[in-house]
């Protein structure tokens, strides 16, 4: 992806395709918006994609959203705990 706008500490906009969108007739704009909130910073991310795909773009929306959601959940966990993935729940020993 290519950075097309940057306002340090406030906003970042990148354009391009991610994953399966790279090989399609589409274009996308991913925006990261930062805003102060009590005790930290709020991050809002949007990824707007348009263009043509013979099977329809709606077929890719859910998988792309799922992958991005998982990646940003890992980022959130890393920022909050220093670890990208939370440790698995410990099970109690069996008697």
């Amino acid at each position: 992806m290519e950075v097309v706008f940057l306002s340090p500490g406030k906003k970042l906009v990148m354009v391009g395709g991610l994953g399966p969108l790279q090989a399609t007739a589409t274009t996308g704009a991913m925006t990261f918006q930062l805003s102060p909130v009590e005790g930290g910073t709020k991050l809002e991310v949007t990824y707007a994609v348009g263009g043509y795909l013979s099977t329809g773009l709606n077929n890719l929306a859910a998988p792309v959203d799922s992958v991005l959601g998982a990646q940003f959940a890992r980022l959130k966990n890393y920022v909050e705990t220093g670890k990208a993935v939370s440790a698995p729940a410990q099970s109690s020993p069996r008697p």
Side-chain angles (χ1 to χ4, degrees):
M1 296 193 79
E2 180 181 357
V3 174
V4 295
F5 179 80
L6 175 63
S7 178
K10 296 180 182 178
K11 188 174 187 176
L12 168 68
V13 181
M14 301 185 301
V15 295
L18 294 173
L21 298 173
Q22 292 175 338
T24 64
T26 62
T27 187
M30 183 175 284
T31 302
F32 298 81
Q33 184 73 47
L34 300 169
S35 57
V37 294
E38 185 176 333
T41 302
K42 179 180 179 181
L43 170 63
E44 294 180 83
V45 180
T46 58
Y47 187 37
V49 177
Y52 174 78
L53 185 63
S54 62
T55 58
L57 285 175
N58 288 340
N59 294 331
L60 287 179
V64 169
D65 188 57
S66 177
V67 169
L68 289 174
Q71 291 172 336
F72 285 107
R74 289 172 49 93
L75 173 63
K76 180 180 187 295
N77 201 57
Y78 180 77
V79 168
E80 293 175 349
T81 69
K83 297 179 183 175
V85 179
S86 59
Q90 299 222 350
S91 59
S92 53
R94 293 187 176 171

